[in-house]
Amino acid sequence: MSTPPPTGPLVTRDTVTTQLLALGVRPDETLLVHSSLRALGWVCGGAVAVVQGLLDALGPGGTLVVPAQSGDVSDPALWGNPPVPEQWWGAIRASMPAYDPLITPTLRVGVLPETVRTWPGALRSAHPQTSFAAIGPGAAAILDGHAPDCRLGERSPLARLAELGARVLLLGAGYDSCTSFHLAEYRIPSPLVEVGRPAAGGGWEVVTEVAISSERFDELGHDFERDRPVVRGRVGAADVRLFPVADAVAYAERWLALHRPGDEELRGPAHQSRRPRP
């Protein structure tokens, strides 16, 4: 059986740049991008063309930031999609490679972040499970100092992005992937959780962290978009949303305190699944 031809639309590097600028992306700004390549349509050049289009829109003074999470650098007892047999856990803990920002691949964040991670001149933050990667003159200031016991809180790139007036670009991605909402979880009373991973110097380490969850982020995003200014449009076939990181965090602080008070059962260690959700 022959494969049917793509239905499009045809998206090129220039398409991405032109439509982002029309939406209001500004040269020299900082963008935190969550993306779905598939949502864009048929992209000539794939993820490389999209990154090029983003960088063209931002210009030489702009900085592109993406989540570069590696949730499988973690305790196998917490893995899902699929889990692994309990009798394997000890061997996995003993042999798992420690996080290396240069070579540890991303997981569950899509092909575009992995493309950014490996881009010439890209930098990556130091957290073993919830790192960010960035390209541009602001990359080092944003990524430096990502504390090993602060996945997405005050000592993470998210806090720097909020301080710097960066904006979030949801490029075919939904609010359930909006990492900025997690910073709000650090700014309201939240339960703690122990997170295990291989130590850089060998062996196994456990750190105490704020428990985070993206549960109900789709509802949070719906209300945020209803109540706050959010630029909406399209790039190719993808729905796009553009808004300040700081606005998203401030709104989420109030929303989570009201709608998820004491929801400790929702907040197991996030980003621990070894495989992407189906």
Side-chain angles (χ1 to χ4, degrees):
M1 181 180 296
S2 61
T3 302
T7 57
L10 170 63
V11 176
T12 68
R13 171 180 178 172
D14 288 344
T15 304
V16 173
T17 302
T18 301
Q19 294 183 352
L20 286 175
L21 291 173
L23 274 167
V25 171
R26 301 185 293 262
D28 301 337
E29 75 168 313
T30 298
L31 280 184
L32 171 59
V33 178
H34 299 277
S35 60
S36 168
L37 183 64
R38 181 185 303 176
L40 287 165
W42 195 91
V43 182
C44 179
V48 169
V50 178
V51 173
Q52 289 172 329
L54 283 160
L55 294 175
D56 289 345
L58 292 171
T63 300
L64 171 63
V65 185
V66 296
Q69 296 163 1
S70 45
D72 53 348
V73 185
S74 61
D75 191 343
L78 301 173
W79 289 350
N81 302 321
V84 293
E86 184 173 355
Q87 60 267 31
W88 294 5
W89 294 355
I92 290 172
R93 291 181 185 126
S95 59
M96 180 184 293
Y99 171 73
D100 184 330
L102 294 177
I103 62 175
T104 300
T106 59
L107 183 74
R108 297 184 64 184
V109 288
V111 64
L112 192 137
E114 181 68 4
T115 304
V116 171
R117 181 189 75 80
T118 59
W119 203 264
L123 302 178
R124 190 181 189 185
S125 68
H127 197 284
Q129 294 156 330
T130 57
S131 66
F132 291 78
I135 305 167
I142 293 165
L143 302 181
D144 285 353
H146 194 171
D149 60 347
C150 185
R151 288 180 289 188
L152 298 169
E154 302 299 339
R155 293 173 294 148
S156 79
L158 282 179
R160 306 292 84 74
L161 290 165
E163 292 168 1
L164 292 169
R167 292 196 289 175
V168 176
L169 178 71
L170 298 180
L171 185 62
Y175 281 104
D176 59 344
S177 66
C178 182
T179 314
S180 299
F181 289 156
H182 286 299
L183 179 54
E185 294 181 297
Y186 285 75
R187 295 183 174 179
I188 62 175
S190 297
L192 301 178
V193 66
E194 291 188 341
V195 180
R197 63 198 179 206
W204 192 258
E205 65 179 3
V206 177
V207 298
T208 300
E209 257 283 9
V210 169
I212 55 178
S213 171
S214 58
E215 191 75 28
R216 300 187 70 183
F217 275 12
D218 52 347
E219 299 173 56
L220 167 55
H222 174 273
D223 290 352
F224 171 67
E225 189 171 298
R226 178 195 63 202
D227 296 337
R228 299 293 301 159
V230 174
V231 176
R232 297 184 60 181
R234 294 176 81 85
V235 172
D239 290 325
V240 175
R241 291 167 172 84
L242 181 66
F243 51 88
V245 172
D247 277 8
V249 176
Y251 189 90
E253 285 184 63
R254 297 188 296 271
W255 194 96
L256 291 171
L258 179 64
H259 294 276
R260 264 184 24 184
D263 276 352
E264 297 192 12
E265 71 275 8
L266 296 179
R267 301 193 194 178
H271 312 295
Q272 298 284 18
S273 293
R274 182 166 172 79
R275 301 291 180 223
R277 290 171 295 190

